[in-house]
Each structure stands twice: as structure tokens, then as C-alpha cells.
Amino acid sequence: MQQSDKNKSHFGKDKIMKAVRQHEFGGPEVLIYEDAPVPELNKGVVCVKVKAIGLNPPDWYLRDGYKMLPPEWQPKVPFPIILGTDISGVIESVADDMKEFSVGDEVYSMVRFPSYGPSQAYAEYVNVPVSELALKPAGIDHIHAAGAPMSLLTAWQFMIEVGHDEQNPLQPNKHIPVPLEGKTVLINGAGGGVGHFAVQIAKWKGARVIAVASGRQEELVRELGADEFIDYTKTNADEILKDIDLVIDAVGGPKTGRFLKTLKPGGSLFPIFPLGFSDRDEAERLGVSVSATQVRSNGKQLAELATLLDQGIIRVVIDSTFPLAEARQSHERAARGHIQGKIVLTVDQ
């Protein structure tokens, strides 16, 4: 059936919006708040008038050119590019073939991840494929909704349901989440974006949760459900813990192997950022598994998670907010570290 005129795009080809673009790789100073063309609608997408944008590490990785990756994996992008994936907003217009959503719907999404460039979330308007879209949780505002998608989907796909069949190129085996009920779960980086969701998911699923974070985050992570807390600035968790069933290392990187000795035989280490891990022989010797996956956009999972967010079973912690025009300052805030929850950009249109 032909869609009504009210649901069709009213944007002309020369419609202009404000966006944060970069014309070269570099530090926060390359982020420029400027005019940019509003993206044109294609089949299977909706145009979202953005209210808030959640920041994630891939934003600054791409801004910098993914320098930590091998040269052959580093992105080749057509400048200028617009960073960002996580948005919450209101549907402005829909493609002619769209039936699942309507103009005026409040929605949230992680847009086209993983990809280099086409997500383009640091903008007043973003085109989103329908398969990556979900209705925004009614019980939270746009700022909190924008803080959820990538970090929450990452925790969910690592811990509950992968939701895709794409192979992680850094390991030969497919990632398989492990049952959490009755298990002892150590979460390193428990106060950060992924970590604070991992604490809540593990507790919700019936695990005993040991959280590792800085001392100033203790009150927060205990409120989120942690049974025990270790201040990493005072104590090395890997030197005092043992017989852990699962370690979620939300920090990851080359040092993640230090947690192998904390696991019981048959236990698992899930590094959220597995690049640099080189202790697979040691893991095999200890009888433990190391596994990771790559988070991918998934509107169906976001719809499921919206219920948990709406009911308050999972809450989004906001570290700080910045207007879109101050994206550079938001990246400078991220670079200072010690982030508690999520950094979010707001869009005042």
C-alpha cells in the first residue's frame, strides 16, 4: 500500500544541517562544527532528527585513524567524515517502502557499526536502516537512551546473546556466552561505559559480582549490584583473586592476560578489547578459554533491551553532557579518563 504523504521526506537535495566533521585524522582539534548536507533517504531507512548522541571509544579511534591497528586494517575514508554511531531522536521522515516506523516515533539506535564513516551520528539528522532501529524506552529521556546502544549491546552480545554470525578475525572459534546464574563474575573497568552495564546484567542473571574500578566509583558500582569492590589504584585484583568463573575485562588490551590466573579450570576470560592479547598458550595450559566478539548493530536486541531500560532493571549512568558544537571538548573529556558511565552530546534544534 502506498504510504501517506505525511510520512515521506520533505527534504530537498540542498537541505543543510549542522554536523561535526573532520577533514583529516588527528586529535580533538580536527573536529569542526559546520554546515553539512542532510543525508538523502534511500530504501529501507528513516531520517531521524537527533536529540542526543552517545560517545564511544571507536569514535576517537576513527578520529585518530585507528593507529593501534595493523596498517592493512587501518581505514581508508573519504574526507570529510562524520563520527559517531549512537543516537536517540524523533523520526523526521521515512522512505516510501517503510512500514515498521512512522514520522514522530521516538527511537534509538547504534547506526551501521562496525563501519568506517557512514554512520555519521554527530549531526542534526541521521539516516538509520530499519533493521538497526528500535523505539526509545519510554521511561528514560533521549540523553540516557543515547548513552545505551553500543555499550549495552556490547555487554549483551558478550554475555547473553551474540545476535550475529560474523566471525571475530582475532580468534578461530565463535564466541559463545556462558551461563551466569550462580557464577562468580569479575568485571574489570566496572565504572565505565561497558563495565557498568556488565555489572547490572551479571547481577540480573544471578551472578556474584566482583567489580574492579577506581575508589571514587565504589558507591556507584555497588548501587548497580556489585557484591564486592576492588580499588585498582590500591590493589591488583589479579594478585588476590582466584577460582573466578568468568572475567569480563572491559579495559582489555595487551594486559588482559594477567587475569588468566584468577580463573578456575574451565573458566572464561572475555576481553572487550582483545587486540594485543598474546597468552593463548598460557590459557590452554591453565584450562581456561579466552573469547571475544565484535559488537554489531541490532535493532531487535535494542527493542528487547528497551524493556529492561524502561523498567529500570538496567540503568544508564551519565558521566557528562556537551552540546554538539562542543564535540571537541567532549573528546578532551574522554581523553582525561576516569569516565563514570557515558559521555553524551546534546542537539538543540
Side-chain angles (χ1 to χ4, degrees), residues 50-54 87-90 106-109 135-149 306 309-310 314-318 321 344-346:
V50 178
K51 298 295 185 181
I53 305 149
I87 58 108
S88 182
V90 180
E106 293 189 317
V107 293
Y108 76 141
S109 179
L135 294 175
K136 179 185 77 67
I140 62 176
D141 60 21
H142 286 291
I143 289 174
H144 287 79
L309 290 164
D310 196 34
I314 295 176
R315 55 179 277 216
V316 184
V317 175
I318 301 299
T321 63
V344 175
L345 297 171
T346 59

mmCIF file of all heavy atoms in Angstrom, residues 50-54 87-90 106-109 135-149 306 309-310 314-318 321 344-346:
data_model
loop_
_atom_site.group_PDB
_atom_site.id
_atom_site.type_symbol
_atom_site.label_atom_id
_atom_site.label_comp_id
_atom_site.label_asym_id
_atom_site.label_seq_id
_atom_site.Cartn_x
_atom_site.Cartn_y
_atom_site.Cartn_z
ATOM 1 N N VAL A 50 17.947 14.165 15.389
ATOM 2 C CA VAL A 50 18.716 13.703 16.543
ATOM 3 C C VAL A 50 18.530 14.625 17.737
ATOM 4 O O VAL A 50 18.581 15.851 17.613
ATOM 5 C CB VAL A 50 20.212 13.599 16.171
ATOM 6 C CG1 VAL A 50 21.035 13.161 17.372
ATOM 7 C CG2 VAL A 50 20.399 12.627 15.007
ATOM 8 N N LYS A 51 18.321 14.018 18.886
ATOM 9 C CA LYS A 51 18.225 14.758 20.143
ATOM 10 C C LYS A 51 19.470 14.581 21.009
ATOM 11 O O LYS A 51 19.835 15.483 21.762
ATOM 12 C CB LYS A 51 16.991 14.292 20.925
ATOM 13 C CG LYS A 51 15.665 14.545 20.218
ATOM 14 C CD LYS A 51 15.391 16.027 20.056
ATOM 15 C CE LYS A 51 14.006 16.284 19.459
ATOM 16 N NZ LYS A 51 13.747 17.735 19.274
ATOM 17 N N ALA A 52 20.106 13.427 20.922
ATOM 18 C CA ALA A 52 21.301 13.165 21.731
ATOM 19 C C ALA A 52 22.147 12.108 21.041
ATOM 20 O O ALA A 52 21.634 11.267 20.291
ATOM 21 C CB ALA A 52 20.918 12.714 23.134
ATOM 22 N N ILE A 53 23.462 12.144 21.327
ATOM 23 C CA ILE A 53 24.433 11.262 20.690
ATOM 24 C C ILE A 53 25.366 10.709 21.758
ATOM 25 O O ILE A 53 25.976 11.484 22.501
ATOM 26 C CB ILE A 53 25.279 12.029 19.647
ATOM 27 C CG1 ILE A 53 24.370 12.712 18.620
ATOM 28 C CG2 ILE A 53 26.292 11.107 18.979
ATOM 29 C CD1 ILE A 53 24.938 13.997 18.068
ATOM 30 N N GLY A 54 25.466 9.409 21.851
ATOM 31 C CA GLY A 54 26.366 8.792 22.819
ATOM 32 C C GLY A 54 27.756 8.615 22.242
ATOM 33 O O GLY A 54 27.917 8.219 21.088
ATOM 34 N N ILE A 87 22.586 7.111 18.681
ATOM 35 C CA ILE A 87 21.687 8.268 18.646
ATOM 36 C C ILE A 87 20.350 7.942 19.302
ATOM 37 O O ILE A 87 19.928 6.788 19.375
ATOM 38 C CB ILE A 87 21.452 8.753 17.207
ATOM 39 C CG1 ILE A 87 20.861 7.633 16.313
ATOM 40 C CG2 ILE A 87 22.747 9.267 16.568
ATOM 41 C CD1 ILE A 87 19.439 7.813 15.941
ATOM 42 N N SER A 88 19.700 9.010 19.768
ATOM 43 C CA SER A 88 18.309 8.941 20.176
ATOM 44 C C SER A 88 17.633 10.184 19.622
ATOM 45 O O SER A 88 18.208 11.276 19.641
ATOM 46 C CB SER A 88 18.179 8.904 21.700
ATOM 47 O OG SER A 88 16.815 8.790 22.091
ATOM 48 N N GLY A 89 16.428 10.006 19.092
ATOM 49 C CA GLY A 89 15.761 11.157 18.499
ATOM 50 C C GLY A 89 14.360 10.821 18.038
ATOM 51 O O GLY A 89 13.744 9.854 18.506
ATOM 52 N N VAL A 90 13.869 11.618 17.104
ATOM 53 C CA VAL A 90 12.498 11.504 16.608
ATOM 54 C C VAL A 90 12.536 11.335 15.098
ATOM 55 O O VAL A 90 13.254 12.066 14.399
ATOM 56 C CB VAL A 90 11.682 12.755 16.990
ATOM 57 C CG1 VAL A 90 10.250 12.628 16.471
ATOM 58 C CG2 VAL A 90 11.691 12.971 18.495
ATOM 59 N N GLU A 106 9.607 8.134 18.586
ATOM 60 C CA GLU A 106 10.864 8.336 19.299
ATOM 61 C C GLU A 106 11.656 7.036 19.244
ATOM 62 O O GLU A 106 11.146 5.970 19.612
ATOM 63 C CB GLU A 106 10.607 8.755 20.752
ATOM 64 C CG GLU A 106 9.982 10.126 20.878
ATOM 65 C CD GLU A 106 9.938 10.611 22.315
ATOM 66 O OE1 GLU A 106 9.601 9.818 23.209
ATOM 67 O OE2 GLU A 106 10.248 11.802 22.540
ATOM 68 N N VAL A 107 12.891 7.117 18.790
ATOM 69 C CA VAL A 107 13.682 5.918 18.509
ATOM 70 C C VAL A 107 15.105 6.081 19.004
ATOM 71 O O VAL A 107 15.560 7.191 19.307
ATOM 72 C CB VAL A 107 13.699 5.622 16.994
ATOM 73 C CG1 VAL A 107 12.318 5.211 16.493
ATOM 74 C CG2 VAL A 107 14.207 6.846 16.218
ATOM 75 N N TYR A 108 15.809 4.944 19.082
ATOM 76 C CA TYR A 108 17.247 4.971 19.373
ATOM 77 C C TYR A 108 17.926 3.888 18.571
ATOM 78 O O TYR A 108 17.290 2.944 18.098
ATOM 79 C CB TYR A 108 17.528 4.896 20.864
ATOM 80 C CG TYR A 108 17.395 3.551 21.568
ATOM 81 C CD1 TYR A 108 18.301 3.191 22.561
ATOM 82 C CD2 TYR A 108 16.352 2.656 21.301
ATOM 83 C CE1 TYR A 108 18.192 1.994 23.249
ATOM 84 C CE2 TYR A 108 16.224 1.459 21.985
ATOM 85 C CZ TYR A 108 17.168 1.140 22.957
ATOM 86 O OH TYR A 108 17.062 -0.057 23.645
ATOM 87 N N SER A 109 19.255 4.030 18.389
ATOM 88 C CA SER A 109 19.951 3.100 17.501
ATOM 89 C C SER A 109 21.458 3.193 17.684
ATOM 90 O O SER A 109 21.993 4.222 18.110
ATOM 91 C CB SER A 109 19.617 3.423 16.035
ATOM 92 O OG SER A 109 20.296 2.564 15.133
ATOM 93 N N LEU A 135 12.227 1.442 19.032
ATOM 94 C CA LEU A 135 11.552 2.511 19.762
ATOM 95 C C LEU A 135 12.328 2.828 21.028
ATOM 96 O O LEU A 135 12.767 1.921 21.746
ATOM 97 C CB LEU A 135 10.117 2.117 20.101
ATOM 98 C CG LEU A 135 9.167 1.933 18.908
ATOM 99 C CD1 LEU A 135 7.814 1.437 19.394
ATOM 100 C CD2 LEU A 135 9.006 3.244 18.124
ATOM 101 N N LYS A 136 12.485 4.103 21.315
ATOM 102 C CA LYS A 136 13.189 4.528 22.521
ATOM 103 C C LYS A 136 12.424 4.057 23.762
ATOM 104 O O LYS A 136 11.193 4.108 23.792
ATOM 105 C CB LYS A 136 13.312 6.053 22.547
ATOM 106 C CG LYS A 136 14.022 6.602 23.783
ATOM 107 C CD LYS A 136 14.000 8.119 23.819
ATOM 108 C CE LYS A 136 12.661 8.676 24.242
ATOM 109 N NZ LYS A 136 12.324 8.369 25.661
ATOM 110 N N PRO A 137 13.124 3.598 24.794
ATOM 111 C CA PRO A 137 12.445 3.274 26.048
ATOM 112 C C PRO A 137 11.658 4.487 26.549
ATOM 113 O O PRO A 137 12.220 5.579 26.687
ATOM 114 C CB PRO A 137 13.595 2.920 27.003
ATOM 115 C CG PRO A 137 14.734 2.556 26.112
ATOM 116 C CD PRO A 137 14.588 3.376 24.875
ATOM 117 N N ALA A 138 10.389 4.299 26.810
ATOM 118 C CA ALA A 138 9.531 5.430 27.179
ATOM 119 C C ALA A 138 9.898 6.024 28.530
ATOM 120 O O ALA A 138 9.668 7.207 28.780
ATOM 121 C CB ALA A 138 8.070 4.982 27.184
ATOM 122 N N GLY A 139 10.498 5.207 29.393
ATOM 123 C CA GLY A 139 10.759 5.652 30.758
ATOM 124 C C GLY A 139 12.037 6.437 30.958
ATOM 125 O O GLY A 139 12.331 6.863 32.080
ATOM 126 N N ILE A 140 12.820 6.643 29.890
ATOM 127 C CA ILE A 140 14.059 7.410 30.025
ATOM 128 C C ILE A 140 14.094 8.490 28.947
ATOM 129 O O ILE A 140 13.408 8.395 27.926
ATOM 130 C CB ILE A 140 15.318 6.530 29.937
ATOM 131 C CG1 ILE A 140 15.417 5.836 28.579
ATOM 132 C CG2 ILE A 140 15.322 5.498 31.058
ATOM 133 C CD1 ILE A 140 16.694 5.016 28.392
ATOM 134 N N ASP A 141 14.903 9.527 29.185
ATOM 135 C CA ASP A 141 14.972 10.622 28.221
ATOM 136 C C ASP A 141 15.963 10.303 27.106
ATOM 137 O O ASP A 141 16.628 9.258 27.096
ATOM 138 C CB ASP A 141 15.324 11.935 28.931
ATOM 139 C CG ASP A 141 16.670 11.890 29.653
ATOM 140 O OD1 ASP A 141 17.521 11.041 29.313
ATOM 141 O OD2 ASP A 141 16.866 12.714 30.572
ATOM 142 N N HIS A 142 16.058 11.230 26.148
ATOM 143 C CA HIS A 142 16.919 10.999 24.989
ATOM 144 C C HIS A 142 18.394 10.914 25.389
ATOM 145 O O HIS A 142 19.157 10.154 24.780
ATOM 146 C CB HIS A 142 16.718 12.103 23.951
ATOM 147 C CG HIS A 142 15.434 12.006 23.202
ATOM 148 N ND1 HIS A 142 15.170 11.008 22.286
ATOM 149 C CD2 HIS A 142 14.309 12.779 23.249
ATOM 150 C CE1 HIS A 142 13.949 11.173 21.772
ATOM 151 N NE2 HIS A 142 13.405 12.238 22.340
ATOM 152 N N ILE A 143 18.803 11.681 26.376
ATOM 153 C CA ILE A 143 20.209 11.649 26.789
ATOM 154 C C ILE A 143 20.584 10.261 27.285
ATOM 155 O O ILE A 143 21.613 9.699 26.885
ATOM 156 C CB ILE A 143 20.475 12.712 27.874
ATOM 157 C CG1 ILE A 143 20.411 14.114 27.255
ATOM 158 C CG2 ILE A 143 21.830 12.492 28.548
ATOM 159 C CD1 ILE A 143 20.520 15.246 28.262
ATOM 160 N N HIS A 144 19.757 9.694 28.146
ATOM 161 C CA HIS A 144 20.061 8.363 28.673
ATOM 162 C C HIS A 144 19.915 7.291 27.594
ATOM 163 O O HIS A 144 20.692 6.334 27.557
ATOM 164 C CB HIS A 144 19.178 8.058 29.878
ATOM 165 C CG HIS A 144 19.562 8.811 31.110
ATOM 166 N ND1 HIS A 144 19.208 10.132 31.307
ATOM 167 C CD2 HIS A 144 20.299 8.446 32.183
ATOM 168 C CE1 HIS A 144 19.705 10.548 32.469
ATOM 169 N NE2 HIS A 144 20.366 9.543 33.017
ATOM 170 N N ALA A 145 18.937 7.456 26.696
ATOM 171 C CA ALA A 145 18.766 6.483 25.617
ATOM 172 C C ALA A 145 19.970 6.491 24.682
ATOM 173 O O ALA A 145 20.431 5.442 24.232
ATOM 174 C CB ALA A 145 17.488 6.778 24.837
ATOM 175 N N ALA A 146 20.506 7.678 24.396
ATOM 176 C CA ALA A 146 21.664 7.763 23.511
ATOM 177 C C ALA A 146 22.915 7.171 24.147
ATOM 178 O O ALA A 146 23.835 6.751 23.447
ATOM 179 C CB ALA A 146 21.923 9.222 23.125
ATOM 180 N N GLY A 147 22.950 7.129 25.479
ATOM 181 C CA GLY A 147 24.094 6.561 26.166
ATOM 182 C C GLY A 147 24.126 5.048 26.172
ATOM 183 O O GLY A 147 25.130 4.449 26.577
ATOM 184 N N ALA A 148 23.054 4.410 25.706
ATOM 185 C CA ALA A 148 22.946 2.964 25.849
ATOM 186 C C ALA A 148 23.480 2.127 24.697
ATOM 187 O O ALA A 148 24.173 1.129 24.937
ATOM 188 C CB ALA A 148 21.490 2.582 26.127
ATOM 189 N N PRO A 149 23.175 2.431 23.424
ATOM 190 C CA PRO A 149 23.274 1.404 22.381
ATOM 191 C C PRO A 149 24.574 0.626 22.280
ATOM 192 O O PRO A 149 24.574 -0.597 22.451
ATOM 193 C CB PRO A 149 22.983 2.190 21.099
ATOM 194 C CG PRO A 149 22.051 3.254 21.539
ATOM 195 C CD PRO A 149 22.570 3.672 22.884
ATOM 196 N N ALA A 306 15.172 -2.292 25.429
ATOM 197 C CA ALA A 306 14.338 -1.144 25.785
ATOM 198 C C ALA A 306 13.398 -1.478 26.933
ATOM 199 O O ALA A 306 13.128 -0.638 27.803
ATOM 200 C CB ALA A 306 13.545 -0.671 24.566
ATOM 201 N N LEU A 309 15.434 -1.305 30.120
ATOM 202 C CA LEU A 309 15.725 0.088 30.442
ATOM 203 C C LEU A 309 14.475 0.800 30.938
ATOM 204 O O LEU A 309 14.519 1.586 31.888
ATOM 205 C CB LEU A 309 16.278 0.804 29.203
ATOM 206 C CG LEU A 309 17.676 0.381 28.763
ATOM 207 C CD1 LEU A 309 17.954 0.852 27.335
ATOM 208 C CD2 LEU A 309 18.738 0.936 29.712
ATOM 209 N N ASP A 310 13.358 0.521 30.305
ATOM 210 C CA ASP A 310 12.099 1.160 30.683
ATOM 211 C C ASP A 310 11.672 0.757 32.090
ATOM 212 O O ASP A 310 11.119 1.563 32.847
ATOM 213 C CB ASP A 310 11.021 0.786 29.660
ATOM 214 C CG ASP A 310 9.805 1.683 29.737
ATOM 215 O OD1 ASP A 310 9.964 2.880 30.044
ATOM 216 O OD2 ASP A 310 8.680 1.190 29.501
ATOM 217 N N ILE A 314 17.877 -2.187 34.069
ATOM 218 C CA ILE A 314 19.189 -1.679 33.669
ATOM 219 C C ILE A 314 19.091 -0.163 33.585
ATOM 220 O O ILE A 314 18.140 0.365 32.990
ATOM 221 C CB ILE A 314 19.635 -2.258 32.317
ATOM 222 C CG1 ILE A 314 19.846 -3.766 32.430
ATOM 223 C CG2 ILE A 314 20.908 -1.584 31.826
ATOM 224 C CD1 ILE A 314 20.197 -4.443 31.122
ATOM 225 N N ARG A 315 20.038 0.535 34.183
ATOM 226 C CA ARG A 315 20.050 1.994 34.123
ATOM 227 C C ARG A 315 21.309 2.479 33.425
ATOM 228 O O ARG A 315 22.346 1.817 33.441
ATOM 229 C CB ARG A 315 19.936 2.620 35.510
ATOM 230 C CG ARG A 315 20.980 2.169 36.498
ATOM 231 C CD ARG A 315 20.832 2.845 37.854
ATOM 232 N NE ARG A 315 21.449 4.163 37.880
ATOM 233 C CZ ARG A 315 22.078 4.660 38.958
ATOM 234 N NH1 ARG A 315 22.131 3.964 40.079
ATOM 235 N NH2 ARG A 315 22.624 5.841 38.906
ATOM 236 N N VAL A 316 21.179 3.635 32.800
ATOM 237 C CA VAL A 316 22.287 4.273 32.094
ATOM 238 C C VAL A 316 22.865 5.360 32.981
ATOM 239 O O VAL A 316 22.141 6.268 33.396
ATOM 240 C CB VAL A 316 21.829 4.876 30.756
ATOM 241 C CG1 VAL A 316 23.017 5.453 29.981
ATOM 242 C CG2 VAL A 316 21.077 3.852 29.915
ATOM 243 N N VAL A 317 24.151 5.278 33.265
ATOM 244 C CA VAL A 317 24.821 6.299 34.069
ATOM 245 C C VAL A 317 25.480 7.301 33.124
ATOM 246 O O VAL A 317 26.211 6.915 32.205
ATOM 247 C CB VAL A 317 25.873 5.663 35.001
ATOM 248 C CG1 VAL A 317 26.661 6.742 35.744
ATOM 249 C CG2 VAL A 317 25.184 4.723 35.987
ATOM 250 N N ILE A 318 25.225 8.579 33.348
ATOM 251 C CA ILE A 318 25.774 9.635 32.504
ATOM 252 C C ILE A 318 26.930 10.309 33.225
ATOM 253 O O ILE A 318 26.765 10.831 34.331
ATOM 254 C CB ILE A 318 24.697 10.671 32.141
ATOM 255 C CG1 ILE A 318 23.529 10.000 31.410
ATOM 256 C CG2 ILE A 318 25.301 11.791 31.289
ATOM 257 C CD1 ILE A 318 23.903 9.338 30.101
ATOM 258 N N THR A 321 27.565 15.734 29.837
ATOM 259 C CA THR A 321 26.946 16.082 28.563
ATOM 260 C C THR A 321 27.593 17.341 28.000
ATOM 261 O O THR A 321 28.050 18.205 28.747
ATOM 262 C CB THR A 321 25.434 16.310 28.695
ATOM 263 O OG1 THR A 321 25.198 17.423 29.564
ATOM 264 C CG2 THR A 321 24.733 15.073 29.252
ATOM 265 N N VAL A 344 27.717 12.146 26.633
ATOM 266 C CA VAL A 344 26.659 12.320 25.639
ATOM 267 C C VAL A 344 26.670 13.748 25.092
ATOM 268 O O VAL A 344 26.851 14.707 25.842
ATOM 269 C CB VAL A 344 25.274 12.009 26.254
ATOM 270 C CG1 VAL A 344 24.141 12.307 25.259
ATOM 271 C CG2 VAL A 344 25.201 10.545 26.702
ATOM 272 N N LEU A 345 26.500 13.842 23.766
ATOM 273 C CA LEU A 345 26.303 15.132 23.110
ATOM 274 C C LEU A 345 24.811 15.408 22.988
ATOM 275 O O LEU A 345 24.024 14.496 22.710
ATOM 276 C CB LEU A 345 26.920 15.130 21.717
ATOM 277 C CG LEU A 345 28.430 14.933 21.612
ATOM 278 C CD1 LEU A 345 28.844 14.737 20.162
ATOM 279 C CD2 LEU A 345 29.161 16.112 22.223
ATOM 280 N N THR A 346 24.412 16.656 23.190
ATOM 281 C CA THR A 346 23.016 17.034 23.051
ATOM 282 C C THR A 346 22.849 17.931 21.830
ATOM 283 O O THR A 346 23.740 18.688 21.468
ATOM 284 C CB THR A 346 22.511 17.763 24.306
ATOM 285 O OG1 THR A 346 23.304 18.935 24.523
ATOM 286 C CG2 THR A 346 22.603 16.866 25.520
#
